[in-house]
Amino acid sequence: MPDALDAATRAAQVPIPRCADGPVFAAPWEAQAFAMTLRLHEQGAFSWKEWAQTLSAVIREAQAGGDPDDGATYYTHWLTALERIIAQKQLVAQDQLETRRAALDRAARATPHGEPIRLENDPEFQA
């Protein structure tokens, strides 16, 4: 039976949009989730092995639920894995994570199409 790193390696081989300069992200949030993950790893919040195992588990769960293995949902899985490892490591309390997720959802719905989503766009935002 392959270990989690082998599964993560296979998951990482799903095609990610690229240009001559490197990965191309379909949306700014994808780049932000990627950057946050790298920064947390650099700060020692989790090892790369822990990250790979978490991302691999999320992808396996999604595929077991019928998610196609075509790369289109890769960063959705990335974000889910980031939220999961943050919760597991207790870097942010679960209720704070849920509060922020709800605030960003409200901000997204209140933001005009094509504009950056900012927490300040949340109708319930308080500075």
Side-chain angles (χ1 to χ4, degrees), residues 86-107:
I86 285 170
Q88 288 171 342
K89 295 291 186 170
Q90 299 178 342
L91 301 174
V92 176
Q94 187 65 33
D95 63 331
Q96 290 176 321
L97 189 58
E98 294 298 327
T99 298
R100 181 57 58 96
R101 184 182 294 132
L104 285 169
D105 183 56
R106 287 188 304 270

Side-chain angles (χ1 to χ4, degrees), residues 69-84:
D69 188 10
D70 64 5
T73 55
Y74 183 78
Y75 282 102
T76 301
H77 303 322
W78 186 284
L79 181 58
T80 300
L82 180 57
E83 290 174 347
R84 183 176 295 178

